[in-house]
Amino acid sequence: EVQLVESGGGSAQAGGSLRLSCIVSEYTDDSMCVAWFRQAPGQEREGVASIYTGGDLLDYTDSVKDRFTISQDNAKNTVYLQMNSLKPEDTAVYYCAAGPTGYCFGAHWSTGDMHYWGKGTLVNISS
């Protein structure tokens, strides 16, 4: 079974930066759709960004466009989320998830219907 492990969470001040990492144990069919989600206290889980590991297809939710960047290092089976210009409303537990490659096409990933999930990493942004 595919396993995902997140790291890089922590505390930062508004305007600062953090980089999250997600190590994926294996890519089924040599590629997958990998995405970051977040859940703030008392709120529903939200899709943040996705990447098709077999190519350059990226997608972002509107609230993080121009601030967050999703990228990958296939040699390390790792997906990153670079978060800049952080805001207090970015405070949440961030989860990495993976699913079939098709989930990155047509934005299916954003529904949260992913097959594999990490345990999450906490990001806390103070004003």
Side-chain angles (χ1 to χ4, degrees), residues 74-97:
N74 279 341
K76 298 180 179 179
N77 273 26
T78 301
V79 172
Y80 303 99
L81 186 68
Q82 178 67 43
M83 306 186 295
N84 299 329
S85 302
L86 284 161
K87 304 176 181 180
E89 51 263 44
D90 294 319
T91 294
V93 177
Y94 283 71
Y95 299 91
C96 181

Side-chain angles (χ1 to χ4, degrees), residues 4-102:
L4 301 96
V5 179
E6 305 98 334
S7 62
S11 298
Q13 291 190 327
S17 298
L18 287 172
R19 188 178 79 158
L20 305 183
S21 299
C22 172
I23 299 176
V24 185
S25 63
E26 63 178 296
Y27 288 155
T28 60
D29 299 322
D30 295 326
S31 65
M32 298 189 78
C33 180
V34 179
W36 287 96
F37 294 81
R38 66 186 180 185
Q39 188 166 21
Q43 297 189 21
E44 293 187 356
R45 185 176 58 200
E46 173 189 31
V48 175
S50 69
I51 185 167
Y52 164 50
T53 64
D56 297 327
L57 182 63
L58 311 176
D59 196 14
Y60 298 92
T61 192
D62 288 345
S63 63
V64 307
K65 285 180 180 177
D66 300 324
R67 298 192 299 124
F68 291 9
T69 302
I70 190 169
S71 63
Q72 61 178 323
D73 183 338
N74 279 341
K76 298 180 179 179
N77 273 26
T78 301
V79 172
Y80 303 99
L81 186 68
Q82 178 67 43
M83 306 186 295
N84 299 329
S85 302
L86 284 161
K87 304 176 181 180
E89 51 263 44
D90 294 319
T91 294
V93 177
Y94 283 71
Y95 299 91
C96 181
T101 58

